[in-house]
Amino acid sequence: MALNARNITKIIFMKNLLPATGFVSVIAHWFSANIFALGREMRLSYLPPLMVYVAAGISGLTGIVGTFYVKEKLGLSAEFLAMLGFWMMLPWALKMPLGHLVDLVWRWKGLLVYLGAGLIMLSLLIMIGLLGHTEAMAAMASVETWFVLSALLAPIGYVLQDVVADAMTVEAVPRVDENGQKLDLEKRKLMHVTMQTLGRVAIIGGGVLVSIANVFLLRDAGALPEAEKEAVYLFVYQLALIIPLVSIFGVVFASWLQRRELKRFLAQGHSRQEAGVLLGFHSEPPPVNWWILGGGLVFTVMSLGVGLSRIPGGEEIIFVISMAIVIFLMWRLTEELEPEARNVLVGTAVLIFVFRAIPGPGAGSTWWMIDTLGFDQQFLAVLSLVGAVLTLFGMFIFRRFMAERSIAYIIGFLTIVGTFLSMPIIGMYFGLHEWTASLTGGVVDARFIVLIDTALESPLGQIAMIPMLAWIANSAPEKLKATFFAVMASFTNLALSASQLGTKYLNQFYEVTREVKDSVSGQVTVPADYSELGQLLIMVTIIGFVLPLLTILIVKHSRFRNA
């Protein structure tokens, strides 16, 4: 065939198209392997625990409103808020006895979700009362007292629901196929990873939904008159009443699914007892572990006693006691494991603990961004939306990375990247945004820098936890699923209490205050002072870089291993 101009043009066009087609094919393959594959691996049995996790995700609906309410209406210091954060995290240590309780009352575990939903609803109703009927509430107790009560009730409710949801994730992964044939270990391991990944997706997906809602609900809220602003805050809390209803629906749906699967196996000719075994029903509860129940009861009584007595160093006393109890119970429970598995468990748990125990700067950094950088309610909502969306996206991007790398490698990677990404915030305290704005005609200002920093940091948000959760779920002994999950989760959650203690100490050493006015006279009672915030941010960054890397080195040179 003669090569005319038209044929030559066609050949050139096809050569140019081939690389583009190859690139599109690579992208399509990546989406198929990392995102669509997760959808293909989704099972209906995964949905009930995911509904409870979604409820936890949408709990962030009131986060921004709560931040501004505390800043504008309450005279609570950054140190006090860090201390309150410690007490808010403490109920998560109660996952130990609660997890064992779930194993003991497996058939009735849904009742704990209902109880948790009731406590969450009560917490929200208190805030609705404070915003809609302030004088009536203040006549019974101070506004600060009501706020603290609301802040403490909500985490108790979420703990009750979370401990059941964790157990439901183990239950959601079937042990047999549709014909009653046992599934092989590798396939079940993949299912556990998928289930835990979907659990994080549900939590973060719920965060995405509420971030979108906040962007619209808080539009121009900063410019509204005080009465209208309070009406917006009130509506957000009223809207949040949907949270407990979502988790209740998940439990109801789980009951329906179990009845449906039971009928299917009965129709195949299995007896009711055989069908129960195939579905993983507990034929009889495990023996009561009085060490766990007794330890949990002692911990609860002592926590309440120390908290109500307000003795100096109460947080430290409770943390030491709770840590001692959790470590003791871990030691008792890990006797169920082989020595090699035990060493892996200990090494992994220590790495996760130290990584999660890194202190933060506290509420002072947010106050500084609001007062000095001019971040309003809507911009913080936009930041939250960007963070949630990219965290969700990052879970898909790094899915293979999480599956193939050790937890030590993942934590080392996150530590180095996190340190690098903390630099822009420190730089802005010393005027980085003013310099960049002057060079770019105001384009690269404080908001631009924070948006980019959030966009880079957010995809890394959940990477450390998913491998840990999947390993715990896959290693959980039969009949002790919830107990094993709860004890390990209690240990890693205590790291967040340690983080709050560290934040409190740093805020005692570096004092940061925002302006507080008397609600009646309007007089300034506490002036704003952010002069020590820069040193606080630098110290937090140094600690966050040194401690995790040092822990990795210690674990690597010990007899312990990591998953």
Side-chain angles (χ1 to χ4, degrees):
M1 181 181 68
L3 288 177
N4 56 31
R6 185 175 179 180
N7 288 332
I8 291 172
T9 302
K10 186 184 291 187
I11 292 171
I12 294 172
F13 174 77
M14 291 302 294
K15 285 184 177 180
N16 290 334
L17 183 64
L18 283 174
T21 305
F23 177 74
V24 171
S25 176
V26 169
I27 295 296
H29 177 74
W30 182 88
F31 268 91
S32 176
N34 291 279
I35 297 180
F36 299 143
L38 198 60
R40 290 192 296 268
E41 292 165 15
M42 173 67 186
R43 305 173 66 93
L44 200 59
S45 62
Y46 297 169
L47 195 55
L50 294 181
M51 295 298 294
V52 183
Y53 285 139
V54 166
I58 60 179
S59 66
L61 179 62
T62 59
I64 294 172
V65 167
T67 297
F68 276 86
Y69 178 80
V70 169
K71 184 179 181 298
E72 296 167 356
K73 301 295 182 182
L74 306 180
L76 304 177
S77 68
E79 178 192 341
F80 180 87
L81 291 172
M83 184 175 66
L84 178 60
F86 170 84
W87 290 104
M88 289 171 65
M89 285 308 307
L90 207 56
W92 293 94
L94 286 173
K95 288 188 73 172
M96 293 180 300
L98 289 175
H100 190 51
L101 184 62
V102 169
D103 283 323
L104 294 174
V105 296
W106 189 263
R107 288 184 60 190
W108 311 104
K109 60 185 180 294
L111 295 177
L112 292 177
V113 175
Y114 298 140
L115 177 59
L119 292 174
I120 294 167
M121 187 170 290
L122 181 58
S123 171
L124 293 169
L125 289 174
I126 290 174
M127 292 305 300
I128 290 170
L130 287 178
L131 287 162
H133 309 279
T134 309
E135 293 181 2
M137 297 287 284
M140 291 183 281
S142 68
V143 173
E144 286 80 6
T145 300
W146 281 118
F147 174 78
V148 169
L149 178 61
S150 173
L152 294 176
L153 282 175
I156 297 174
Y158 286 116
V159 167
L160 288 171
Q161 295 196 341
D162 189 71
V163 73
V164 177
D166 286 346
M168 290 169 71
T169 62
V170 181
E171 185 182 50
V173 174
R175 298 193 297 176
V176 296
D177 61 17
E178 292 80 2
N179 300 315
Q181 299 300 313
K182 190 174 181 180
L183 295 172
D184 65 81
L185 189 61
E186 282 302 312
K187 188 169 184 179
R188 291 195 72 219
K189 181 180 178 181
L190 177 62
M191 287 180 175
H192 278 300
V193 173
T194 300
M195 178 70 253
Q196 296 305 325
T197 303
L198 287 171
R200 300 303 103 185
V201 169
I203 293 173
I204 300 162
V208 172
L209 291 177
V210 300
S211 296
I212 294 172
N214 273 324
V215 169
F216 289 98
L217 292 171
L218 301 178
R219 185 173 61 251
D220 300 324
L224 292 175
E226 197 63 28
E228 293 182 28
K229 188 191 300 183
E230 289 184 5
V232 171
Y233 292 173
L234 176 60
F235 178 69
V236 171
Y237 274 101
Q238 290 170 337
L239 193 62
L241 289 172
I242 196 175
I243 295 170
L245 300 179
V246 173
S247 56
I248 289 173
F249 176 76
V251 174
V252 172
F253 187 62
S255 299
W256 177 82
L257 275 179
Q258 285 186 350
R259 288 195 299 270
R260 192 192 71 161
E261 291 299 299
L262 185 62
K263 288 179 181 177
R264 184 166 62 82
F265 281 123
L266 291 175
Q268 292 177 1
H270 296 283
S271 68
R272 182 172 291 273
Q273 184 177 2
E274 289 172 342
V277 171
L278 292 174
L279 291 172
F281 292 170
H282 287 188
S283 56
E284 59 183 42
V288 178
N289 189 325
W290 291 109
W291 285 108
I292 292 178
L293 289 183
L297 180 62
V298 170
F299 170 74
T300 303
V301 170
M302 294 194 67
S303 298
L304 290 173
V306 172
L308 294 174
S309 65
R310 299 183 181 181
I311 62 174
E315 293 80 22
E316 289 79 3
I317 293 172
I318 291 301
F319 178 76
V320 171
I321 292 173
S322 56
M323 180 61 77
I325 292 173
V326 170
I327 291 177
F328 174 74
L329 293 176
M330 281 178 63
W331 171 67
R332 298 281 301 186
L333 195 62
T334 52
E335 291 179 347
E336 300 279 339
L337 302 176
E338 295 296 324
E340 180 64 25
R342 190 183 306 131
N343 288 339
V344 172
L345 173 66
V346 173
T348 302
V350 168
L351 288 176
I352 294 289
F353 182 90
V354 172
F355 184 70
R356 285 165 68 92
I358 300 302
S365 62
T366 305
W367 296 340
W368 168 73
M369 290 180 182
I370 295 170
D371 289 342
T372 305
L373 301 182
F375 294 176
D376 56 14
Q377 294 91 332
Q378 187 179 20
F379 181 70
L380 290 181
V382 170
L383 277 183
S384 175
L385 175 59
V386 170
V389 169
L390 292 178
T391 299
L392 188 61
F393 192 56
M395 289 176 59
F396 294 111
I397 294 176
F398 293 105
R399 189 179 175 215
R400 190 170 298 278
F401 174 78
M402 290 184 288
E404 295 176 353
R405 299 291 184 178
S406 69
I407 287 183
Y409 185 96
I410 291 171
I411 288 178
F413 170 77
L414 293 177
T415 298
I416 294 170
V417 173
T419 301
F420 176 76
L421 292 176
S422 67
M423 296 302 175
I425 303 299
I426 297 174
M428 283 198 299
Y429 178 82
F430 294 102
L432 173 66
H433 57 294
E434 296 170 354
W435 177 67
T436 55
S438 65
L439 290 178
T440 59
V443 175
V444 184
D445 58 1
R447 295 193 174 201
F448 183 93
I449 292 173
V450 170
L451 270 173
I452 297 299
D453 195 54
T454 301
L456 293 173
E457 186 176 15
S458 297
L460 309 176
Q462 289 285 329
I463 291 176
M465 284 307 296
I466 292 175
M468 173 75 170
L469 293 170
W471 188 86
I472 292 174
N474 198 47
S475 305
E478 289 297 325
K479 290 192 176 183
L480 288 173
K481 299 171 185 175
T483 306
F484 190 80
F485 220 116
V487 170
M488 302 315 303
S490 294
F491 180 71
T492 55
N493 285 330
L494 270 175
L496 299 180
S497 295
S499 174
Q500 291 296 331
L501 277 179
T503 302
K504 185 186 82 167
Y505 299 148
L506 289 174
N507 275 271
Q508 287 174 342
F509 195 79
Y510 303 103
E511 189 173 359
V512 178
T513 60
R514 91 287 197 187
E515 184 178 89
V516 178
K517 293 183 180 180
D518 184 86
S519 58
V520 179
S521 64
Q523 294 289 324
V524 176
T525 56
V526 179
D529 183 5
Y530 299 114
S531 59
E532 296 185 7
L533 179 62
Q535 300 171 59
L536 173 60
L537 293 173
I538 292 171
M539 183 56 65
V540 166
T541 302
I542 292 173
I543 293 172
F545 179 76
V546 172
L547 279 185
L549 295 183
L550 185 62
T551 306
I552 291 172
L553 288 175
I554 293 172
V555 170
K556 285 286 187 183
H557 291 86
S558 70
R559 64 187 174 90
F560 300 111
R561 298 291 181 264
N562 65 93

